[in-house]
Amino acid sequence: MNLDEINEQLFNLPKVELHCHLELAFRPSTMMEWAIEDGFKIKTKEDFAREFLILEPMADLPTVLNKFLHTRDRLSSLERIERLAFEACEDMYLKSNVRLLELRYAPSFTLDVFPYLGAENLHGAIMKGCVRAETMYPMAVGLICLLQRIKSHKENMYWCDFAIEHKGEFLAVDLADNEVDYPPKQFAPMFDKAKAAGLGITIHAGEPALPGSPNNILASIDYLHADRIGHGVQAIHDEKVIRRLVDEKIPLELCPTSNWLTQAVPDLASHPLKQLMDLGIKTTVNSDDPGVMGITLMDEYQIAHKTLGMSLDELKRCNAWAAEVSFIPQKKKDHVWKE
Ligand SMILES: [Zn+2]
């Protein structure tokens, strides 16, 4: 098979995306347009990349955070937010043949700088963009409400209640940011409440290559009722963690390029996606932050196939698992996903 044929087969595979942050899933041309409107001196794609994209492993955290904030600070109107959501969905379908799409966002992240938008309006604009894409393309989209570890207990409880009030539109809740300094256990009250309300639970855990990181995977299962783990890439270094994930059939939302750019793995070739699958863990392939990292889900499939040596059949199996564990209701899945 030549390269074109392989790429065509990879594209034709109907895909599921479980782990994608809406705020960082912008279409680059649109973000560049907004940046110029907002007064950034940007003339070329290179100028834009320097201010907004992370294309090489991050050297220092402040530079990276600055790029996240540049992006976030462009989300100043409901028009922009609706367009962000619509284009994130449209690009997933057109560029990667995604049929089931879960997008996560943190209401607190955008409202911190634009409180005048209001939570209901922000959520409504995102829903509008997603529904518009669903009516145009054979895809089903669902939202996950992201709680930030760095926020107070009170604020996180507020957003947890917000997610419960919007159950149906929000399918699940997530926990993100610095997992080493904010370990899982202290967030148990929110996740007890979300679980009791029938929301799905996915937790960012086992992401950075730091001590304590693999153990956060177990703590997320034990204290936060995690149905799925965001990343969990460090599980590879801990046999006990691998055993639990296999025995309890808990899937990992793996994101190869993101793990390389954040230095969770030293290089793409040593990403343990295939090893984790070979060990019997339900692995899924995801893009995390496609806009800011300048990638598509299709790129992650090419990496999985060409760099990590996964066969088309193995990638098909990852998608079948992803479809099975997606929080999107079965009835909605059935419209766009055939086994
Ligand atoms: Zn993430």
Side-chain angles (χ1 to χ4, degrees):
M1 240 190 304
N2 67 38
L3 204 62
D4 285 348
E5 283 168 342
I6 292 171
N7 284 339
E8 198 182 320
Q9 288 204 13
L10 284 173
F11 180 81
N12 286 341
L13 205 63
K15 295 176 194 66
V16 184
E17 165 76 75
L18 298 179
H19 191 125
C20 177
H21 296 260
L22 174 63
E23 298 95 332
L24 303 174
F26 53 81
R27 182 180 288 170
S29 57
T30 300
M31 187 53 73
M32 187 161 147
E33 183 188 315
W34 292 341
I36 293 168
E37 273 174 30
D38 290 351
F40 275 77
K41 303 258 174 297
I42 287 174
K43 292 208 167 60
T44 63
K45 281 187 175 170
E46 289 69 34
D47 295 342
F48 173 69
R50 208 174 312 116
E51 299 287 347
F52 285 84
L53 305 185
I54 300 165
L55 305 175
E56 284 164 27
M58 49 193 221
D60 64 302
L61 208 57
T63 316
V64 173
L65 286 179
N66 240 346
K67 294 186 182 197
F68 285 0
L69 298 184
H70 279 170
T71 296
R72 189 264 309 265
D73 293 352
R74 307 282 74 72
L75 305 179
S76 55
S77 71
L78 296 176
E79 290 70 31
R80 284 187 181 183
I81 287 160
E82 196 264 352
R83 185 174 165 192
L84 170 80
F86 172 74
E87 291 180 351
C89 298
E90 183 175 56
D91 288 353
M92 282 284 179
Y93 177 74
L94 294 179
K95 295 185 175 168
S96 303
N97 195 16
V98 170
R99 307 303 181 96
L100 296 175
L101 171 61
E102 294 184 12
L103 290 172
R104 56 190 75 196
Y105 82 95
S108 50
F109 185 61
T110 302
L111 293 171
D112 268 356
V113 269
F114 303 115
Y116 58 82
L117 292 175
E120 291 295 340
N121 293 335
L122 171 72
H123 183 71
I126 291 169
M127 277 304 298
K128 219 166 124 191
C130 295
V131 169
R132 183 149 67 95
E134 281 180 315
T135 55
M136 284 175 67
Y137 303 109
M139 66 191 310
V141 185
L143 297 175
I144 297 173
C145 184
L146 191 147
L147 308 182
Q148 297 186 270
R149 284 183 164 96
I150 52 170
K151 296 290 184 189
S152 70
H153 176 90
K154 195 175 154 208
E155 190 174 349
N156 274 327
M157 204 45 121
Y158 178 86
W159 294 119
C160 179
D161 287 338
F162 183 76
I164 293 168
E165 277 161 34
H166 294 80
K167 193 184 148 193
E169 296 176 344
F170 279 125
L171 310 174
V173 283
D174 178 21
L175 184 65
D177 297 337
N178 182 345
E179 65 174 273
V180 174
D181 295 322
Y182 299 85
K185 200 173 177 180
Q186 59 187 294
F187 301 94
M190 290 130 224
F191 290 87
D192 285 345
K193 203 169 177 188
K195 183 80 183 173
L199 284 169
I201 291 172
T202 176
I203 306 287
H204 278 74
E207 180 182 4
L210 292 169
S213 163
N215 204 53
N216 280 341
I217 298 172
L218 299 184
S220 300
I221 300 168
D222 291 334
Y223 302 120
L224 308 184
H225 321 285
D227 300 303
R228 305 188 327 218
I229 297 291
H231 298 289
V233 65
Q234 305 304 336
I236 196 70
H237 301 298
D238 193 319
E239 247 174 68
K240 199 164 80 241
V241 177
I242 292 170
R243 197 68 4 248
R244 286 285 303 275
L245 293 172
V246 173
D247 289 349
E248 296 178 35
K249 300 185 173 59
I250 297 192
L252 297 184
E253 305 160 359
L254 292 158
C255 314
T257 297
S258 166
N259 292 156
W260 167 58
L261 290 174
T262 62
Q263 295 284 274
V265 298
D267 51 64
L268 273 173
S270 51
H271 194 283
L273 168 62
K274 185 172 159 52
Q275 286 142 271
L276 290 163
M277 184 182 192
D278 291 344
L279 286 164
I281 295 171
K282 287 187 172 180
T283 48
T284 66
V285 185
N286 305 279
S287 65
D288 208 8
D289 311 315
V292 81
M293 292 178 173
I295 55 164
T296 62
L297 185 61
M298 183 61 192
D299 292 326
E300 301 305 281
Y301 275 74
Q302 287 173 328
I303 289 164
H305 183 61
K306 291 170 202 162
T307 310
L308 306 179
M310 293 176 79
S311 67
L312 277 162
D313 273 346
E314 285 175 319
L315 290 170
K316 230 182 245 176
R317 211 176 322 146
C318 288
N319 268 301
W321 282 328
E324 177 194 311
V325 302
S326 163
F327 297 124
I328 295 173
Q330 190 60 44
K331 240 174 127 178
K332 207 172 156 179
K333 285 183 193 170
D334 289 343
H335 288 298
V336 294
W337 191 264
K338 312 263 177 299
E339 285 310 311

